[in-house]
Amino acid sequence: QVQLVESGGDLVQPGGSLRLSCAASGIIVSINTMGWYRQAPGKERELVAYIRTSGTTTYADSVKGRFTISRDYAKNTVYLQMNSLKPEDTAVYSCSTGPVYSGTYYPNYWGQGTQVTVSS
């Protein structure tokens, strides 16, 4: 049974940083594509970033240069380092896993999400 458990969400001031964690069980993060999505109130869910088994990473234009996705094989955990946070980054962030077909990521497992609020 696949389980993804996120942590690390918090209230942070604009310009600040946070690191989200996603602890996985039932899968091995190093041999599965892992991703992060976010959903703000009243908005559709948005793909933030994903990392493929090769280590190739893909980011949404809105977070390029500010967010970094990575994984720790020993801890079987995926991270999202978020720097230079903006109020528009406020959302529930969810971890996911699934296949990539023709360059498109199709997640089929999700975590419960962690709240990130960027406000002064």
Side-chain angles (χ1 to χ4, degrees):
Q1 181 181 358
V2 176
Q3 285 193 321
L4 304 172
V5 180
E6 302 95 334
S7 61
D10 205 346
L11 170 64
V12 62
Q13 292 189 345
S17 297
L18 277 177
R19 189 179 76 160
L20 305 183
S21 300
C22 172
S25 59
I27 60 166
I28 300 173
V29 300
S30 61
I31 59 172
N32 285 276
T33 297
M34 305 295 299
W36 286 94
Y37 276 77
R38 68 185 181 186
Q39 187 166 22
K43 294 188 177 181
E44 292 192 358
R45 187 164 55 192
E46 173 190 22
L47 176 62
V48 175
Y50 65 92
I51 182 167
R52 302 187 67 167
T53 56
S54 63
T56 301
T57 55
T58 300
Y59 296 93
D61 288 343
S62 58
V63 306
K64 279 181 183 176
R66 300 188 298 122
F67 290 12
T68 302
I69 188 171
S70 63
R71 56 195 175 192
D72 184 319
Y73 299 165
K75 295 182 178 180
N76 207 37
T77 296
V78 178
Y79 302 100
L80 185 68
Q81 177 67 42
M82 305 186 296
N83 299 328
S84 302
L85 283 162
K86 305 175 182 180
E88 51 263 44
D89 294 319
T90 296
V92 174
Y93 285 71
S94 298
C95 181
S96 64
T97 187
V100 175
Y101 297 127
S102 300
T104 301
Y105 175 48
Y106 294 96
N108 50 20
Y109 290 99
W110 299 87
Q112 83 288 351
T114 186
Q115 177 70 47
V116 172
T117 303
V118 184
S119 175
S120 55

